[in-house]
């Protein structure tokens, strides 16, 4: 059975003190909750990962990074490798977020390299895909998402692909307050699952966790998460306040 996940992508937010308090508040709320088969993952900025993994040892959440380099080590000033993340016990990494594609020109090939590096070091990629507004309006959203998957994750062997978590994040919904409707989300998630079945097999497709991301909050999470092919969410803005994030978690 596939895992259900709510992951918080903090992006470039919070001071150290604020981050510590947010993590402590979330950890305290999770303490009293029965999470069953739901995994909660927090993805703070790199500089807070060690603090987060220390707290996570005694708590019910796991820690992910927001990015990593495709090389294992060397002369890549300012970059962070999978080996480094692994040494901090960080078990997840967001790869292919639209903000990195857009602002840092990360292309399919580079992202494929990152996915491969993560898998090599036993870190589960949370691989983001999704179309921009013009592509949806032109009706090319399925083709765009298929290409993103084809070029960056479908090069993996089946046993490695099983480690990948996917996140469908329509770019027009990220940080805009306009979420995909439950029907739009379900339609794309089902399409992605069928595409995985075609590329690999039915079992792998059924076992793949596919998250929805894009203005998901405590008000709309339940109707999105109730869709049969939506296995949780990648949450940006609503992961920055403990009560709001916990409300999203309890919607799953
Ligand atoms: C994201 O950046 O991954 C995201 C989903 O952001 P938001 O929830 O703020 O739209």
């Amino acid at each position: 059975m596939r895992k259900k996940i709510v992951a918080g992508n903090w992006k470039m937010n919070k001071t150290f003190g604020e981050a510590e308090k947010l993590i402590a508040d979330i950890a305290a709320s999770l303490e009293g909750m029965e999470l069953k088969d739901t995994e909660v993952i927090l993805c703070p900025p790199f500089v807070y990962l060690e603090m987060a993994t220390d707290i996570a040892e005694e708590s019910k959440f796991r820690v992910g990074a927001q990015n990593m380099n495709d090389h294992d080590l060397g002369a890549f000033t300012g970059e962070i490798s999978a080996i480094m993340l692994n040494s901090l016990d960080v078990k997840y990494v967001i790869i292919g977020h639209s903000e990195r594609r857009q602002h840092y020109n990360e292309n399919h090939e580079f992202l494929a390299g990152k996915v491969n590096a993560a898998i090599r070091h036993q870190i589960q990629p949370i691989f983001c895909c999704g179309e921009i507004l013009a592509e949806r309006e032109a009706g090319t959203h399925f083709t765009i998402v298929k290409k993103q998957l084809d070029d960056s994750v479908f090069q993996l062997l089946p046993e490695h692909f099983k480690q990948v978590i996917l996140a469908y994040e329509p770019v027009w919904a990220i940080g805009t307050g306009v979420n995909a409707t439950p029907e739009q989300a379900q339609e794309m998630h089902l399409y992605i699952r069928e595409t995985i079945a075609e590329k690999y097999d039915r079992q792998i497709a059924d076992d793949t966790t596919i998250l929805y991301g894009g203005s998901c909050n405590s008000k709309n999470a339940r109707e999105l998460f109730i869709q049969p092919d939506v296995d949780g969410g990648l949450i940006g803005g609503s992961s920055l306040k403990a009560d709001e994030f916990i409300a999203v978690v309890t919607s799953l």
Side-chain angles (χ1 to χ4, degrees):
M1 212 179 78
R2 56 186 179 254
K3 214 190 274 178
K4 291 193 175 285
I5 295 174
V6 175
N9 173 16
W10 291 12
K11 313 192 190 193
M12 196 173 71
N13 289 296
K14 305 290 177 190
T15 62
F16 186 90
E18 290 166 349
E20 208 170 25
K21 178 163 181 352
L22 179 54
I23 292 175
D25 289 348
I26 290 171
S29 297
L30 292 176
E31 203 45 49
M33 285 168 60
E34 177 73 67
L35 288 173
K36 292 194 209 121
D37 59 342
T38 299
E39 191 115 291
V40 177
I41 303 171
L42 303 183
C43 303
F46 284 134
V47 287
Y48 308 143
L49 286 175
E50 188 179 2
M51 176 264 286
T53 52
D54 280 350
I55 300 175
E57 268 181 41
E58 307 284 319
S59 310
K60 289 185 179 170
F61 68 90
R62 311 288 292 275
V63 179
Q66 296 175 21
N67 183 29
M68 52 166 260
N69 192 260
D70 59 334
H71 289 83
D72 284 351
L73 79 173
F76 301 98
T77 302
E79 291 294 287
I80 302 289
S81 73
I83 292 182
M84 296 173 184
L85 297 179
N86 210 352
S87 71
L88 287 181
D89 215 23
V90 172
K91 296 296 180 208
Y92 301 89
V93 62
I94 298 171
I95 294 177
H97 193 282
S98 61
E99 287 153 15
R100 297 214 58 90
R101 293 177 192 263
Q102 190 187 338
H103 303 312
Y104 303 100
N105 300 320
E106 296 196 355
N107 61 25
H108 297 313
E109 194 187 353
F110 186 40
L111 297 176
K114 292 187 187 205
V115 167
N116 292 339
I119 295 290
R120 258 199 323 278
H121 295 286
Q122 295 81 47
I123 295 174
Q124 286 190 258
I126 301 174
F127 182 82
C128 303
C129 56
E131 79 285 356
I132 61 171
L133 186 58
E135 291 161 346
R136 177 156 283 264
E137 286 174 347
T140 56
H141 42 297
F142 295 114
T143 319
I144 292 295
V145 167
K146 168 100 170 31
K147 174 126 184 82
Q148 291 169 340
L149 297 174
D150 271 342
D151 290 1
S152 301
V153 284
F154 283 174
Q155 86 283 357
L156 293 169
L157 296 170
E159 62 266 36
H160 293 151
F161 180 80
K162 287 178 187 171
Q163 302 302 311
V164 175
I165 297 157
L166 294 176
Y168 169 55
E169 298 209 307
V171 182
W172 47 270
I174 296 181
T176 59
V178 181
N179 58 290
T181 64
E183 295 72 26
Q184 286 172 324
Q186 169 57 23
E187 185 184 35
M188 181 58 86
H189 283 229
L190 177 61
Y191 171 77
I192 292 172
R193 204 175 299 289
E194 293 310 308
T195 305
I196 298 167
E198 235 170 72
K199 168 69 191 172
Y200 294 101
D201 62 38
R202 183 81 258 158
Q203 191 61 52
I204 292 179
D206 287 345
D207 288 347
T208 301
T209 298
I210 309 175
L211 308 179
Y212 168 78
S215 296
C216 182
N217 57 40
S218 59
K219 294 195 173 58
N220 58 29
R222 196 173 296 277
E223 57 180 15
L224 286 160
F225 294 168
I226 212 167
Q227 301 303 313
D229 289 288
V230 177
D231 307 312
L234 179 54
I235 315 297
S238 287
S239 69
L240 296 173
K241 287 193 180 135
D243 290 352
E244 172 69 8
F245 183 65
I246 291 295
V248 173
V249 172
T250 54
S251 303
L252 192 56

